[in-house]
Amino acid sequence: MIEDLLKKALLKNTKQRHMILSIIKSEKKPVTAEEIYIKLNKNKGNINLSTVYRTLNILSEKNILLKILKEDGTASYQINDNLHNHYITCYKCHNSILIDKCPIKDFSEKISKDTGYVITGHSLQLTGLCPKCSKHVNND
Ligand SMILES: [Zn+2]
Ligand SMILES: [Zn+2]
């Protein structure tokens, strides 16, 4: 499956890419570059952090990965497949919750029909105020 992802994006299946993708794939939530780096080195991956960053950039440029940006600027990554997830992040406490349906799928199929583009991926990140934090705002 990782091989297929790389092949579709016309990327070479290097050891680093494969290791990074399999870590992201095994996680149930989006992971940051640092988290990936720590896991890699537990597995004696011998990959430095800047390589992790560079690889993540390439993979998200090619839409293999979905990059999720939090308000504080940290980026986390997940595989951009049909089973990918979207999140709402609270801009105050940075808590994220999962949106269990992809709202873009039908839209993206329509755009594909209208424009003739083969759409290979998308990213969507919702930001807001969670119920807990909005309670505090009202009490202020
Ligand atoms: Zn909050
Ligand atoms: Zn989606």
Side-chain angles (χ1 to χ4, degrees):
M1 135 109 190
I2 287 171
E3 288 80 359
D4 293 343
L5 284 175
L6 289 167
K7 209 189 274 174
K8 241 195 260 167
L10 304 174
L11 286 175
K12 254 176 54 197
N13 183 5
T14 63
K15 203 175 144 210
Q16 282 105 317
R17 286 172 186 160
H18 199 278
M19 284 194 322
I20 289 173
L21 282 172
S22 55
I23 286 176
I24 298 173
K25 205 173 162 269
S26 66
E27 293 293 320
K28 299 227 156 42
K29 61 175 186 64
V31 278
T32 64
E34 285 81 5
E35 287 167 338
I36 294 166
Y37 175 69
I38 291 166
K39 278 181 202 251
L40 275 175
N41 286 294
K42 258 190 210 147
N43 301 335
K44 303 205 167 42
N46 277 329
I47 298 177
N48 58 38
L49 191 54
S50 61
T51 307
V52 175
Y53 275 115
R54 210 172 40 235
T55 307
L56 290 172
N57 273 336
I58 295 170
L59 295 174
S60 42
E61 257 166 39
K62 295 284 184 182
N63 286 314
I64 295 180
L65 291 180
L66 214 56
K67 185 177 182 177
I68 297 154
L69 263 187
K70 285 192 183 176
E71 279 293 303
D72 63 0
T74 19
S76 47
Y77 300 84
Q78 64 178 324
I79 305 274
N80 190 12
D81 59 11
N82 291 328
L83 304 166
H84 68 268
N85 295 316
H86 296 292
Y87 294 83
I88 309 177
T89 305
C90 173
Y91 66 76
K92 266 196 117 173
C93 67
H94 305 309
N95 262 336
S96 299
I97 61 156
L98 181 70
I99 307 162
D100 59 358
K101 257 179 89 179
C102 174
I104 301 293
K105 212 175 153 270
D106 294 342
F107 174 71
S108 139
E109 275 160 22
K110 185 187 179 301
I111 295 294
S112 174
K113 250 184 228 148
D114 292 353
T115 62
Y117 271 64
V118 178
I119 295 175
T120 52
H122 62 258
S123 62
L124 171 75
Q125 169 69 13
L126 298 177
T127 307
L129 201 57
C130 72
K132 239 180 167 176
C133 292
S134 60
K135 229 189 236 163
H136 287 304
V137 169
N138 292 337
N139 288 343
D140 280 346

